[in-house]
Amino acid sequence: MVDKIIGLRVFPDHDGAMNCNLREHHGAMLVVSQFTLYADLSRGNRPGFRDAARQESAVLLYNQFVILLAAQGLPVQNGEFGATMDVDLVNDGPFTIWIEREADPQPI
């Protein structure tokens, strides 16, 4: 996931085409945990979080992700896992990309 995110060509080049990745754009990462947003709504209007990672596993994955990003030499800021946070940001772009990978055969 780290390699995929860093390599995404979603930033404009000098012609305005999306040809630059995070490193070429001299970008930085802000990593905020939102694992509880993984909700199942197939059974009505009350979200189910049964398929979300357990907190013990999720915090390990979150911290490892931050470590791996930083190891790539990128500026990385992160929030506190599980904390209530107020985050100010400006979205610069016309889209959002949802990135997933297949689940591991065995849960963590």
Side-chain angles (χ1 to χ4, degrees):
M1 280 297 234
V2 168
D3 291 337
K4 180 63 75 174
I5 290 169
I6 292 172
L8 282 174
R9 294 175 21 180
V10 294
F11 297 100
D13 63 14
H14 62 279
D15 293 326
M18 291 192 331
N19 282 324
C20 293
N21 63 34
L22 186 66
R23 198 177 306 281
E24 294 164 333
H25 194 66
H26 306 289
M29 295 290 297
L30 172 62
V31 181
V32 179
S33 65
Q34 293 187 356
F35 75 96
T36 56
L37 293 180
Y38 187 83
D40 179 5
L41 298 174
S42 64
R43 295 185 179 183
N45 294 322
R46 185 175 183 170
F49 301 108
R50 183 174 154 167
D51 291 332
R54 299 179 77 76
Q55 183 170 350
E56 300 80 21
S57 299
V59 71
L60 293 173
L61 290 170
Y62 174 79
N63 289 333
Q64 184 67 21
F65 183 71
V66 171
I67 290 167
L68 290 171
L69 281 171
Q72 293 292 319
L74 293 169
V76 179
Q77 296 288 319
N78 61 291
E80 180 182 337
F81 186 91
T84 299
M85 293 173 276
D86 293 322
V87 178
D88 292 322
L89 80 135
V90 175
N91 284 328
D92 181 16
F95 60 88
T96 300
I97 297 175
W98 185 281
I99 302 171
E100 291 185 297
R101 70 176 192 90
E102 289 186 33
D104 290 331
Q106 297 178 0
I108 294 175

